[in-house]
């Protein structure tokens, strides 16, 4: 149904129905896997966008490595859609992909949008008292390395155990 709806409002309704069906099944893992398979096969950006939206709302972690390249897609519409939907992820899992984009993208508007999305994810996680692990670049004589830190409820950083 989602693939056949090209009109904006009909497509949005089909995406909502798909998400609803995925969350109402007894096996959300299987449903997420089926949507991920569609994303992997998608050739049209409109279809990719629909699958990214659904997978992000589900918070289907296995999809993140497939969604992350869309953050740097040459099609700015798809890249923006990916950033905006990762900001809606129910957990802070995508924060490192967003921070990496904020640090390295040559496109300033993507950097700003990605940073805003990362801040929103960490703020929401802090409000829900979830642990958020961010990767911090440390400059040095060799190539930069990353140290994992946990942002605690008070905003303090602690080294990851």
């Amino acid at each position: 149904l989602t693939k056949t709806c090209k009109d904006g409002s009909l497509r949005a309704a089909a995406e909502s129905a798909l998400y609803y069906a995925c969350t109402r099944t007894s096996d959300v893992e299987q449903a997420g896997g089926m949507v991920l398979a569609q994303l992997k096969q998608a050739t049209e950006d409109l279809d990719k966008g629909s699958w990214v939206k659904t997978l992000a709302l589900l918070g289907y972690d296995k999809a993140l490595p497939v969604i992350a390249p869309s953050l740097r897609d040459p099609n700015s519409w798809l890249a923006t859609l990916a950033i905006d939907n990762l900001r809606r992820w129910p957990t802070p899992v995508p924060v490192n992909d967003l921070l990496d984009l904020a640090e390295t993208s040559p496109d300033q508007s993507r950097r700003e949008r990605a940073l805003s999305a990362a801040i929103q994810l960490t703020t929401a996680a802090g409000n829900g008292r979830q642990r958020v692990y961010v990767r911090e670049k440390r400059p040095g004589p060799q190539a930069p390395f990353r140290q994992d830190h946990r942002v605690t409820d008070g905003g303090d950083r602690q080294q990851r155990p």
Side-chain angles (χ1 to χ4, degrees):
L1 176 64
T2 304
K3 287 185 196 180
T4 60
C5 296
K6 302 296 181 191
D7 175 59
S9 60
L10 291 175
R11 186 140 188 129
E15 292 165 352
S16 293
L18 175 62
Y19 170 72
Y20 182 81
C22 288
T23 59
R24 298 303 181 253
T25 182
S26 60
D27 192 353
V28 176
E29 180 72 22
Q30 182 182 14
M34 292 171 72
V35 177
L36 177 57
Q38 290 296 314
L39 174 58
K40 288 178 178 179
Q41 295 174 8
T43 56
E44 292 186 34
D45 288 345
L46 189 59
D47 291 337
K48 289 177 185 178
S50 292
W51 310 137
V52 166
K53 286 179 189 178
T54 303
L55 291 164
L57 287 170
L58 289 172
Y60 189 65
D61 290 346
K62 292 179 183 175
L64 198 53
V66 180
I67 294 172
S70 296
L71 297 169
R72 298 179 185 280
D73 198 272
N75 179 338
S76 63
W77 173 83
L78 183 60
T80 299
L81 182 137
I83 294 166
D84 290 348
N85 281 281
L86 288 184
R87 103 174 34 239
R88 295 184 186 112
W89 202 275
T91 66
V93 171
V95 73
N96 286 318
D97 289 307
L98 291 165
L99 288 174
D100 185 54
L101 182 66
E103 293 173 342
T104 62
S105 176
D107 183 327
Q108 181 173 344
S109 67
R110 282 192 201 184
R111 286 194 312 270
E112 291 170 356
R113 194 174 209 108
L115 182 58
S116 173
I119 290 168
Q120 183 176 340
L121 277 175
T122 54
T123 301
N127 291 340
R129 304 214 184 278
Q130 295 178 6
R131 289 187 176 157
V132 179
Y133 292 97
V134 295
R135 302 180 83 88
E136 180 176 299
K137 284 189 177 181
R138 299 276 177 120
Q142 295 102 6
F145 69 92
R146 293 182 179 257
Q147 179 72 40
D148 287 340
H149 291 272
R150 176 169 53 102
V151 178
T152 62
D153 295 335
D156 299 325
R157 288 186 164 200
Q158 297 177 352
Q159 195 164 12
R160 185 176 186 173

